[in-house]
Amino acid sequence: MPDPNGFLRYNRRLPARRPVPVRITDWREVYPPAGEELIREQATRCMDCGIPFCHDGCPLGNRIPDWNDLVRTGGWDAAVESLHATNNFPEFTGRLCPAPCETACVLGLGGQQPVTIKQVEVEIADAAVARGGLRPRPVPAPTGRSVAVVGSGPAGLAAAQQLARAGHAVTVYERDDAIGGLLRYGIPDFKLEKQHIDRRLAQLTAEGVRFRTGVHVGVDVTAGQLRAEHDAVLLACGALQGRDTPETPGRALRGVHQAMTHLVAANRVVAAAGDGRPALAVLPDGTPIDAAGKHVVIIGGGDTAADCLGVAHRQGAAGVHQLDLYPEPPQDRDAARDPWPTWPWVLRNYPAHEEGGERVFAVAVQEFVDDGTGQVKGVRIAEVTVEKRDGRRVVTVLPGSERELPADLVLLAIGFEGTEEQPLLTQLGVARNARGAVDARPDWQTDADGVFVAGDMHRGASLIVWAIAEGRAAAAAIHAHLGGVGALPTPVDPARQPLAAR
Ligand SMILES: Cc1cc2nc3c(=O)[nH]c(=O)nc-3n(C[C@H](O)[C@H](O)[C@H](O)COP(=O)(O)OP(=O)(O)OC[C@H]3O[C@@H](n4cnc5c(N)ncnc54)[C@H](O)[C@@H]3O)c2cc1C
Ligand code: SF4
């Protein structure tokens, strides 16, 4: 029985972030641990709704009211158990998820602020580590069937853990030198320190999952070899084809890069430095791609752009502008446009935005300006309006609104165009659809029999929570395909979409 007055007694409160002047001198996470008192207070605000809409916001179907009440009453071990029943990696989602569960929380309906679900989640996840570590689950007798997972992001890892726990022999193939997908070298340490990934890998390894890094499937080993060696294959290769702007004059200048080029280089030097202060970031050919002392312009308004902003400040940028094509969103939900409990279009301030830089809305880049030597020295922008006509985006420049921003480093964070076209797909005879994604049948199989797909590769660039949900569901389908005993949990089907107003 929850506290019937909890939400009346307590307001929503988040833990204080580490002070900006301190945190931009290191790469540690922005949030310190919240402390048990605050988390129990916040969990007390949960009403244990008869119809808990937080469930509908979360593709994993997390049992949110159950673990809120367990935290309120100090039942941490049971909370850890309940959370892990639906989510393999709550320490990732608790830190990184934009929390569609919170925008769907019933408290948001009556003018109250939603429960801090994500904060409760991360504290339970960390409690699991503090209270005896992430113990491996006992593995059942081997089924004698084997599965290859291609790609080691959250989708591949969730599927691998589910399948290994069902007794199958699982090998994860990753072309990078370390496991984790975008969590490893895409997302900076100030959002996710990498020991969280390493702890999970130790657990998965103890549960029998084999990892093979530095193996580019389709190049180092063919798809045919993989199919011959395994009874099923899961593709979880992400959606890493960065959108570009080749038609913009000056795109080929030195200093204009894809955001991921910068993020991966920066995260690699942090990884190499351990706890020490990292050296300047460079590309594999030795070209520096560091923001130190530079005027940086970031183009784009999402997660990737905010991550570039935080990295630029930690590298010591002289100044940063972040450009967005769209007008500044409202502070609060526009109920006519995005009624509760759907995901609203509102201004999202990431912790990186507190750290400096200027956001410029409703502008489009007209030209990257040459300093005369082939190096970018500025970005010429113009104010624009954006409208949808016949389902297409139409951008109109306001005459006379052009101006130039100084820029030594320009980062394109304008989205992703789906999964990369790569030899693996050709070898399998699997095509990308119009969105650049790979279609799945209702049982998660691609057009190639016995080859399944999950995560961003199927959904297009999305969220960690969706990648885990799809990885779990695809694992259930593979288990059934292999004639496994019983059924594994299936939180989503391939057609499932986020909550939307119809
Ligand atoms: C900069 C950035 C920040 C983000 N921040 C957030 C956030 O804060 N919160 C959030 O919820 N989501 C965030 N996302 C999105 C999130 O990271 C992705 O939705 C998620 O990682 C997708 O998981 P996945 O397992 O499908 O693929 P990925 O994580 O992309 O992993 C795919 C893996 O497959 C490997 N691979 C590809 N082809 C092959 C091959 N042929 N052989 C072997 N290996 C191969 C790749 O090297 C990669 O490691 C962010 C994305 C980016 C780019
Ligand atoms: S919708 Fe909000 S208040 Fe209701 S059960 Fe979920 S978290 Fe608790």
Side-chain angles (χ1 to χ4, degrees):
M1 171 70 186
D3 182 332
N5 294 319
F7 69 98
L8 296 173
R9 279 191 289 129
Y10 302 115
N11 289 325
R12 177 182 164 102
R13 277 202 300 144
L14 287 170
R17 295 166 182 154
R18 294 199 298 129
V20 170
V22 176
R23 72 184 195 229
I24 61 165
T25 64
D26 64 39
W27 295 83
R28 309 299 305 271
E29 283 177 9
V30 165
Y31 285 97
E36 183 163 346
E37 195 186 335
L38 174 63
I39 290 307
R40 288 181 70 165
E41 172 197 291
Q42 291 299 303
T44 302
R45 296 184 67 239
C46 177
M47 302 184 292
D48 190 13
C49 301
I51 300 176
F53 265 87
C54 51
H55 278 196
D56 296 80
C58 177
L60 283 168
N62 279 338
R63 300 169 187 169
I64 295 163
D66 293 5
W67 37 261
N68 275 337
D69 203 48
L70 288 163
V71 166
R72 178 182 75 83
T73 52
W76 287 94
D77 288 334
V80 166
E81 200 56 37
S82 171
L83 181 55
H84 282 94
T86 55
N87 187 352
N88 298 69
F89 313 126
E91 65 279 22
F92 304 159
T93 43
R95 283 177 170 78
L96 298 169
C97 192
C101 55
E102 292 189 13
T103 48
C105 172
V106 175
L107 273 178
L109 242 186
Q112 283 267 349
Q113 291 289 311
V115 174
T116 57
I117 300 170
K118 170 174 146 161
Q119 203 61 48
V120 177
E121 178 182 22
V122 80
E123 294 299 322
I124 300 172
D126 289 353
V129 175
R131 303 166 82 85
L134 298 175
R135 282 186 291 271
R137 294 253 174 98
V139 181
T143 59
R145 313 306 299 272
S146 85
V147 183
V149 175
V150 187
S152 69
L157 292 180
Q161 186 163 56
Q162 293 296 99
L163 289 163
R165 287 177 172 178
H168 305 298
V170 182
T171 307
V172 177
Y173 296 84
E174 170 57 57
R175 67 183 172 188
D176 233 326
D177 62 357
I179 296 291
L182 282 171
L183 306 185
R184 177 66 67 178
Y185 293 130
I187 294 178
D189 287 51
F190 57 80
K191 278 171 62 178
L192 180 79
E193 290 176 15
K194 306 310 169 198
Q195 79 258 15
H196 303 298
I197 309 175
D198 297 336
R199 277 197 202 105
R200 276 297 168 189
L201 297 186
Q203 184 192 45
L204 266 75
T205 304
E207 290 171 353
V209 177
R210 291 181 61 220
F211 293 105
R212 291 193 55 196
T213 51
V215 180
H216 192 169
V217 177
V219 177
D220 302 316
V221 48
T222 66
Q225 282 170 294
L226 223 58
R227 291 180 88 177
E229 283 172 24
H230 300 277
D231 299 304
V233 176
L234 173 65
L235 305 179
C237 301
L240 300 167
Q241 184 64 55
R243 184 166 291 132
D244 212 309
T245 173
E247 70 289 351
T248 306
R251 168 62 185 94
L253 292 174
R254 288 195 309 281
V256 182
H257 298 279
Q258 279 285 346
M260 289 306 289
T261 310
H262 178 235
L263 285 176
V264 171
N267 293 333
R268 279 186 176 280
V269 287
V270 174
D275 284 338
R277 192 80 191 144
L280 280 189
V282 291
L283 297 178
D285 67 2
T287 315
I289 186 173
D290 204 282
K294 291 189 178 146
H295 292 285
V296 181
V297 172
I298 301 165
I299 302 168
D303 272 328
T304 308
D307 289 357
C308 289
L309 179 65
V311 166
H313 283 127
R314 281 161 183 75
Q315 290 178 334
V320 189
H321 285 96
Q322 187 189 339
L323 313 183
D324 202 319
L325 192 62
Y326 291 94
E328 183 168 344
Q331 297 282 344
D332 298 314
R333 182 194 288 275
D334 173 353
R337 179 197 151 121
D338 306 309
W340 176 92
T342 61
W343 179 251
W345 183 63
V346 292
L347 182 66
R348 297 206 150 74
N349 287 314
Y350 297 81
H353 291 117
E354 296 175 347
E355 295 166 1
E358 187 186 334
R359 291 167 97 170
V360 189
F361 291 95
V363 291
V365 174
Q366 306 300 295
E367 181 189 0
F368 302 111
V369 184
D370 193 341
D371 74 349
T373 71
Q375 159 71 38
V376 70
K377 70 156 186 163
V379 175
R380 196 158 52 77
I381 57 170
E383 290 172 28
V384 294
T385 55
V386 186
E387 51 186 330
K388 273 259 169 79
R389 270 190 232 144
D390 303 329
R392 291 183 57 239
R393 190 172 73 179
V394 179
V395 179
T396 310
V397 172
L398 265 69
S401 67
E402 289 194 6
R403 63 190 166 112
E404 189 175 319
L405 300 173
D408 315 299
L409 177 63
V410 177
L411 302 170
L412 306 177
I414 50 179
F416 294 86
E417 290 182 329
T419 199
E420 299 146 288
E421 191 61 72
Q422 51 167 310
L424 168 64
L425 294 182
T426 322
Q427 289 166 14
L428 288 168
V430 168
R432 302 187 317 154
N433 62 24
R435 294 181 302 108
V438 169
D439 286 329
R441 299 181 222 157
D443 67 354
W444 295 94
Q445 281 190 81
T446 64
D447 287 341
D449 287 337
V451 179
F452 298 72
V453 64
D456 278 9
M457 191 175 192
H458 161 253
R459 179 161 289 275
S462 179
L463 297 174
I464 292 159
V465 69
W466 279 98
I468 298 173
E470 291 211 354
R472 288 171 68 85
I478 293 170
H479 182 66
H481 177 78
L482 297 179
V485 178
L488 301 184
T490 304
V492 289
D493 62 49
R496 169 87 178 265
Q497 292 299 323
L499 272 180
R502 304 267 175 241

